[in-house]
């Protein structure tokens, strides 16, 4: 069984994000980029399933600029067998990515698609759900445990009241939560091996997908700076400030 794992190139989570001076977006010039942490968890889970012998091939996929090849090489260093880059300089929004992935699902016919629940740059949490809808596949979101049993994917997810376990008929789409696993450390020998693994590069038009943005970003701005706190003498003074200054009661 094949597993398709989409991965996204994002600003590294250790980097303090800066907004461009003209407020048109986030400044990524000379900024360290890395794989989206949720997608890294997805790659790790796919590789673990392969190590258990229930999966035969792990295919990493990324959509974006040429530099996404680095992200795919990282995925292959973790353990993916091959990679596909859908290369485009267009700004890719969740629906466009879902359409590209749907075209690749039709082409590769994977038994399982595992991807991060959201990207840490736009926090959209949409691509997995849109892909499931477009491909008419069952979905399990925010997975904290995945098991393949008797031709089905058993997905455990955390909900307000505890845990919920879903049985999904394959093929299916699963999105990963933080508690699913701890991604392995990528060693230098595996990085060198990843350089020899095959990577296919295609264009959106090769897949027959229009990736023109549907949404326009009007303005990006930093959160307002928090004011300094003050000490109050007693409860009466606190209530007075909450009522007259903060106006929250």
């Amino acid at each position: 069984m094949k597993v398709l794992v989409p991965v996204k190139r994002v600003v590294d989570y250790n980097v303090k994000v800066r907004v461009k001076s003209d407020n048109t977006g986030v400044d990524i010039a000379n900024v360290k980029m890395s794989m989206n942490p949720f997608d890294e968890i997805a790659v790790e889970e796919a590789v673990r399933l392969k190590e258990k012998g229930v999966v035969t091939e792990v295919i990493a996929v990324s959509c974006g600029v040429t530099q996404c090849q680095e992200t795919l090489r990282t995925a292959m260093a973790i353990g993916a067998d091959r990679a596909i880059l859908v290369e485009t300089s267009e700004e890719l929004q969740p629906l466009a990515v879902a359409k590209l992935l749907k075209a690749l699902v039709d082409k590769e016919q994977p038994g399982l698609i595992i991807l991060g629940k959201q990207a840490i740059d736009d926090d959209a949490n949409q691509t997995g759900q849109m892909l499931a809808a477009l491909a008419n596949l069952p979905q399990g979101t925010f997975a904290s445990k995945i098991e393949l049993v008797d031709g089905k994917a058993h997905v455990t997810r955390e909900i307000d009241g505890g845990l919920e376990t879903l049985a999904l008929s394959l093929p299916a789409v699963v999105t990963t939560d933080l508690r699913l696993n701890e991604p392995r450390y990528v060693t230098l020998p595996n990085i060198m091996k990843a350089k020899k693994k095959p990577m296919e590069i295609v264009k959106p038009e090769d897949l027959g997908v229009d990736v023109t943005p549907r949404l326009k970003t009007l303005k990006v701005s930093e959160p307002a700076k928090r004011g300094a706190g003050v000490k109050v003498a007693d409860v009466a003074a606190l209530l007075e400030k909450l009522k007259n200054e903060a106006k929250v009661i």
Side-chain angles (χ1 to χ4, degrees):
M1 182 176 73
K2 293 182 188 176
V3 176
L4 195 72
V5 187
V7 296
K8 186 176 183 181
R9 178 177 180 263
V10 298
V11 175
D12 190 87
Y13 65 91
N14 288 311
V15 173
K16 181 170 172 37
V17 175
R18 300 189 307 272
V19 174
K20 291 180 180 177
S21 57
D22 58 1
N23 295 110
T24 56
V26 172
D27 186 6
I28 60 171
N30 302 313
V31 170
K32 182 185 177 186
M33 307 292 281
S34 61
M35 188 190 302
N36 179 46
F38 290 103
D39 296 339
E40 197 172 355
I41 291 168
V43 176
E44 174 67 27
E45 191 63 23
V47 172
R48 289 187 187 188
L49 290 172
K50 185 186 173 190
E51 288 170 348
K52 288 178 184 175
V54 293
V55 165
T56 55
E57 186 180 30
V58 178
I59 309 164
V61 177
S62 192
C63 307
V65 294
T66 307
Q67 290 88 331
C68 290
Q69 291 185 33
E70 300 165 16
T71 309
L72 289 170
R73 293 291 176 199
T74 302
M76 289 191 285
I78 293 172
D81 299 291
R82 60 186 172 96
I84 302 172
L85 171 62
V86 183
E87 191 176 41
T88 176
S89 57
E90 281 275 12
E91 177 201 347
L92 290 175
Q93 294 171 351
L95 181 59
V97 175
K99 287 180 177 179
L100 291 170
L101 294 177
K102 199 271 184 182
L104 290 173
V105 166
D106 291 342
K107 178 183 174 186
E108 295 289 342
Q109 296 292 309
L112 189 63
I113 303 100
I114 309 178
L115 63 164
K117 69 172 185 177
Q118 64 195 77
I120 61 171
D121 52 2
D122 58 14
D123 271 334
N125 179 23
Q126 294 176 339
T127 306
Q129 292 89 326
M130 287 178 167
L131 172 60
L134 290 170
N136 195 27
L137 295 175
Q139 61 178 309
T141 56
F142 317 139
S144 59
K145 186 178 180 182
I146 302 172
E147 292 179 306
L148 298 182
V149 183
D150 298 329
K152 291 192 174 184
H154 289 205
V155 176
T156 302
R157 54 199 303 271
E158 296 178 359
I159 56 174
D160 290 341
L163 298 176
E164 177 183 61
T165 302
L166 306 174
L168 310 177
S169 56
L170 300 177
V173 176
V174 177
T175 70
T176 63
D177 202 354
L178 277 174
R179 278 168 287 280
L180 180 58
N181 62 50
E182 182 77 30
R184 69 193 66 189
Y185 179 75
V186 179
T187 61
L188 184 59
N190 285 336
I191 292 172
M192 301 308 292
K193 287 176 188 174
K195 292 181 179 179
K196 298 179 181 178
K197 291 183 179 180
M199 182 184 300
E200 181 185 355
I201 299 175
V202 297
K203 302 286 185 184
E205 48 268 29
D206 299 334
L207 301 172
V209 177
D210 178 14
V211 295
T212 305
R214 307 271 183 124
L215 305 174
K216 182 181 179 183
T217 302
L218 300 179
K219 184 180 180 183
V220 176
S221 58
E222 292 188 17
K225 287 186 170 57
R226 293 180 62 180
V230 294
K231 289 184 178 181
V232 293
D234 51 34
V235 174
L238 173 62
L239 290 173
E240 191 274 332
K241 285 188 176 293
L242 289 175
K243 184 175 181 181
N244 298 321
E245 292 184 22
K247 298 188 186 303
V248 295
I249 57 173

